[in-house]
Amino acid sequence: MFDAALLDAIGADVTGREDETETVVATLDAGRHLVLEGPPGTGKSTLLRSLAHHAGVPFVFVEGNAELTPARIVGYHDPSRVLAEGYSADAFVPGPLVRAMQSGALFYVEEINRVPEETLNVLITVMSEGELHIPRMGRVGAAATFRLIAAMNPYDAVGTSRISSAISDRVCRIFLDYQSETEEAAIVARRTGVENAPLLAAVVALVRATRKHPQIRIGSSVRGAIDLVLIAASLGRLRNSPIGHPDVTLRATLTALSGRIRVDETADRAPEDILRELWLLHLGGEIGGGEELGLAGPARPNGSVREGQRPPGKQTAPADRPTDHPQGPTPA
Ligand SMILES: Nc1ncnc2c1ncn2[C@@H]1O[C@H](COP(=O)(O)OP(=O)(O)OP(=O)(O)O)[C@@H](O)[C@H]1O
Ligand SMILES: [Mg+2]
């Protein structure tokens, strides 16, 4: 169950994160409840989903949000059956928490920081007592393998509050920060199938630079790098041009990242403007070289240029062509 074989299985799904995976498995083996905390896109869900998939114990998933009332996780008495038969165990429709407790499942709560306080209070009782008292139903005990595993994002500002100390005192916590540059490039390669190492390195460097730029409040996670590379690959295919061509990478950069970054209010700059600056620094100029800039996927059947498609040789770097801004004009 929570053993070395599980570590290997998770290791095949998750790039890097060896220490964190080992700690997660050890914490669950010790019978403790666990929260993974970290910025968006740092692999919390990837790790926990893999764990749930391979742990060999039942697994119950709930998505944390404001509508997750106590009744939604605990369950309710079916009104029509109560009318017909009165209150009985049979009339009770168990919710995900009760199902997880009875079957000794991993109870996986996504975005626990979005769960309303009154629902968290139910979880506190279960974590401290290992049981729940349901009116007109009685006591429900948690089977020995029941564990709460949860993910939360400390920077998530929408409809969230910090979880109370009553909860945090009952769970162990592992912080997942951004991974190294090499690991992020490996993640992007894995998710996109693109094997162009110089391009992957440049894209990851650009995306990491959004996290440190003095005028960006919130930068992009590795998700932005994945999308950038996928869009560049598709654009390259559509145009029959190399994936690293400046026109391709600039469009992909703006499309993948302009909605993801949050510019500091005091900077008075458009996201596109800052992204062009970072693009010039990291991707300006053709990355990698000519035809060998390939995708891992199947090659195009022929290299012909379709009607309406600009031949790659005629393209100029869009940075020098202000009328061709796919995201709208650069603000003055
Ligand atoms: N270590 C990793 N190994 C493999 N894929 C990863 C890893 N880290 C991130 N990814 C990929 O990056 C994307 C985001 O990861 P994931 O959804 O796990 O992040 P998260 O930490 O749960 O983010 P959020 O806080 O926004 O929910 C996914 O496409 C995932 O496949
Ligand atoms: Mg997640």
Side-chain angles (χ1 to χ4, degrees):
M1 198 160 65
F2 301 121
D3 55 11
L6 177 59
L7 284 185
D8 292 343
I10 298 174
D13 291 344
V14 178
T15 304
R17 297 277 186 228
E18 290 85 4
D19 289 353
E20 290 91 342
T21 304
E22 190 180 44
T23 316
V24 165
V25 171
T27 306
L28 296 176
D29 184 56
R32 303 298 93 190
H33 305 294
L34 179 66
V35 172
L36 292 193
E37 187 172 338
T42 47
K44 301 180 292 293
S45 303
T46 305
L47 203 169
L48 291 184
R49 290 204 174 114
S50 171
L51 171 91
H53 183 69
H54 296 292
V57 291
F59 160 69
V60 177
F61 172 86
V62 294
E63 181 79 44
N65 59 51
E67 278 82 53
L68 195 68
T69 56
R72 286 223 168 120
I73 63 165
V74 172
Y76 61 94
H77 286 94
D78 181 340
S80 57
R81 291 195 67 165
V82 169
L83 272 178
E85 310 157 23
Y87 284 99
S88 70
D90 283 350
F92 184 75
V93 182
L97 176 64
V98 167
R99 281 188 277 118
M101 290 172 70
Q102 289 174 329
S103 60
L106 292 175
F107 185 61
Y108 173 13
V109 185
E110 263 294 21
E111 316 277 2
I112 195 171
N113 45 315
R114 296 187 175 193
V115 174
E117 192 77 36
E118 49 178 350
T119 309
L120 289 178
N121 288 337
V122 175
L123 294 178
I124 291 173
T125 315
V126 172
M127 284 191 283
S128 354
E129 320 291 337
E131 62 179 37
L132 198 58
H133 288 273
I134 302 171
R136 299 178 207 270
M137 159 79 180
R139 174 189 171 278
V140 174
T145 53
F146 171 82
R147 311 271 190 285
L148 174 98
I149 51 175
M152 68 179 273
N153 164 4
Y155 308 116
D156 187 352
V158 188
T160 61
S161 54
R162 301 285 310 174
I163 57 172
S164 72
S165 54
I167 283 270
S168 53
D169 195 41
R170 286 171 171 81
V171 293
C172 302
R173 168 181 177 272
I174 298 176
F175 188 82
L176 269 63
D177 209 343
Y178 293 112
Q179 289 182 250
S180 71
E181 203 151 351
T182 318
E183 285 176 345
E184 288 198 337
I187 293 168
V188 179
R190 177 178 199 152
R191 297 295 171 219
T192 61
V194 171
E195 291 170 343
N196 180 338
L199 180 92
L200 294 173
V203 167
V204 165
L206 188 164
V207 164
R208 292 172 76 87
T210 66
R211 299 176 204 150
K212 301 211 181 81
H213 193 284
Q215 293 172 319
I216 299 179
R217 195 159 45 80
I218 302 176
S220 166
S221 76
V222 73
R223 285 194 185 103
I226 294 171
D227 288 7
L228 198 169
V229 169
L230 286 174
I231 293 170
S234 292
L235 266 179
R237 264 194 302 271
L238 281 172
R239 298 172 147 222
N240 197 23
S241 93
I243 186 175
H245 190 283
D247 197 38
V248 167
T249 58
L250 179 63
R251 283 189 186 210
T253 301
L254 296 176
T255 310
L257 302 182
S258 61
R260 283 191 157 97
I261 62 168
R262 293 273 174 275
V263 177
D264 199 297
E265 285 77 7
T266 57
D268 198 24
R269 283 181 83 182
E272 289 83 356
D273 190 27
I274 301 180
L275 287 172
R276 267 172 223 283
E277 170 196 316
L278 293 175
W279 171 84
L280 255 184
L281 216 58
H282 295 280
L283 282 165
E286 194 156 311
I287 298 288
E291 286 309 306
E292 73 278 14
L293 288 170
L295 297 173
R300 288 183 66 85
N302 63 54
S304 65
V305 175
R306 290 190 313 242
E307 216 183 327
Q309 190 179 29
R310 275 175 292 158
K314 290 254 176 78
Q315 292 166 349
T316 46
D320 304 319
R321 201 175 49 203
T323 49
D324 192 27
H325 292 160
Q327 310 299 314
T330 312

